[in-house]
């Protein structure tokens, strides 16, 4: 228990050096931001329209993954609907409450607060650690949504199209239960001449 603040300090320093670079790498890549937005739109639709839960995704420059689905056809329909709705101006679809961006931002806030408290007080303490976590829990979610909207997603997807949906990991049946699938949605940007 006494070593916990020291571990938290080391973790905080790692986050301080690593997280800003990760966020900046996404922010400067427009294709990645667009696919991240479409990934969120797809997950939001899958959850609301099809009742999925515990989905995760990962955006890449040429598309995005959706993990945890049972029927890949649902992903195709949700991705097409998400793209159309984004093109029609539904900006709220670019935000997802369980996005890794929000977690990264919350961890960054916690790390900054903890290091500041450490520098101001000069004391490694559980109290400083808990205070940093509490502040991060209040500020992190709102700041994470703001970062998603403004830096890690782009709702400007007018020139995007969906080129196909590919099953990357088939479901398995274990003890009579379907293990969810991993699906890749390939996208591209239309070139206007």
């Amino acid at each position: 228990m006494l070593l916990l603040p020291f571990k938290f300090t080391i973790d905080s320093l790692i986050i301080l050096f690593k997280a800003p670079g990760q966020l900046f790498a996404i922010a400067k890549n427009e294709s990645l931001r667009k696919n991240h937005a479409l990934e969120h739109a797809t997950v939001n639709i899958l959850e609301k329209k099809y009742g999925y839960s515990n989905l995760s995704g990962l955006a890449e420059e040429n598309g995005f993954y959706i993990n945890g689905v049972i029927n890949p056809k649902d992903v195709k329909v949700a991705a097409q609907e998400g793209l159309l709705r984004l093109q029609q101006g539904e900006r709220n679809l670019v935000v997802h409450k369980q996005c890794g961006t929000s977690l990264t931002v919350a961890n960054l806030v916690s790390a900054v607060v903890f290091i500041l408290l450490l520098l101001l007080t000069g004391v490694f303490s559980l109290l400083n650690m808990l205070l940093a976590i509490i502040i991060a829990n209040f500020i992190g979610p709102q700041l994470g949504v703001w970062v998603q909207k403004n830096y890690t997603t782009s709702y400007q997807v007018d020139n995007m199209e969906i080129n196909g949906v590919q099953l990357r990991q088939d479901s398995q049946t274990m003890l009579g239960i379907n293990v969810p699938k991993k699906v890749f949605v390939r996208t591209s940007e239309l070139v206007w001449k």
Side-chain angles (χ1 to χ4, degrees), residues 82-90 155 157-161:
L83 180 58
L84 179 63
R85 288 171 61 181
L86 285 172
Q87 290 170 339
Q88 293 173 343
E90 285 190 54
Y155 61 86
V157 295
D158 290 339
N159 63 338
M160 285 186 71
E161 67 178 352

Side-chain angles (χ1 to χ4, degrees), residues 55 146 154:
L55 297 175
W146 184 80
S154 174

Side-chain angles (χ1 to χ4, degrees), residues 10 19 22 24 27-28 38 65-66 69 74 86 88 100 120 184 191:
I10 292 168
Q22 291 172 330
F24 183 72
K28 70 178 186 176
L38 186 52
Y65 288 93
I66 301 291
V69 295
D74 293 344
L86 285 172
Q88 293 173 343
L120 292 172
F184 184 72
V191 179

Side-chain angles (χ1 to χ4, degrees), residues 38 42 75-85 162:
L38 186 52
T42 302
V75 175
K76 182 178 182 181
V77 172
Q80 290 169 333
E81 180 179 336
L83 180 58
L84 179 63
R85 288 171 61 181
I162 295 170

Side-chain angles (χ1 to χ4, degrees), residues 105-119:
V105 168
N107 286 338
L108 186 57
V109 168
S110 177
V112 168
V113 169
F114 181 73
I115 296 299
L116 285 174
L117 288 171
L118 181 63
L119 292 173

Side-chain angles (χ1 to χ4, degrees), residues 4 6 22 38-39 44 46 72 88 91 131 139-140 167:
L4 197 56
F6 292 105
Q22 291 172 330
L38 186 52
E39 171 212 324
N44 282 320
L46 285 166
Q88 293 173 343
R91 293 182 182 183
L131 190 56
I139 297 172
L167 184 62

Side-chain angles (χ1 to χ4, degrees), residues 31 35 60-64 184-188:
S31 294
N35 280 313
E60 294 189 349
E61 286 189 38
N62 63 339
F64 58 92
F184 184 72
V185 178
R186 184 167 305 284
T187 64
S188 64

Side-chain angles (χ1 to χ4, degrees), residues 120-178:
L120 292 172
T121 65
V123 177
F124 289 98
S125 73
L126 287 174
L127 180 61
N128 285 348
M129 188 178 78
L130 291 174
L131 190 56
I133 292 170
I134 289 169
I135 291 171
N137 278 312
F138 280 114
I139 297 172
Q142 293 83 12
L143 188 56
V145 166
W146 184 80
V147 170
Q148 281 183 60
K149 283 182 181 177
N150 295 289
Y151 294 104
T152 64
T153 64
S154 174
Y155 61 86
Q156 298 174 341
V157 295
D158 290 339
N159 63 338
M160 285 186 71
E161 67 178 352
I162 295 170
N163 297 82
V165 175
Q166 303 164 328
L167 184 62
R168 292 287 173 99
Q169 172 187 320
D170 201 357
S171 67
Q172 304 166 359
T173 304
M174 299 176 87
L175 302 172
I177 300 170
N178 276 340

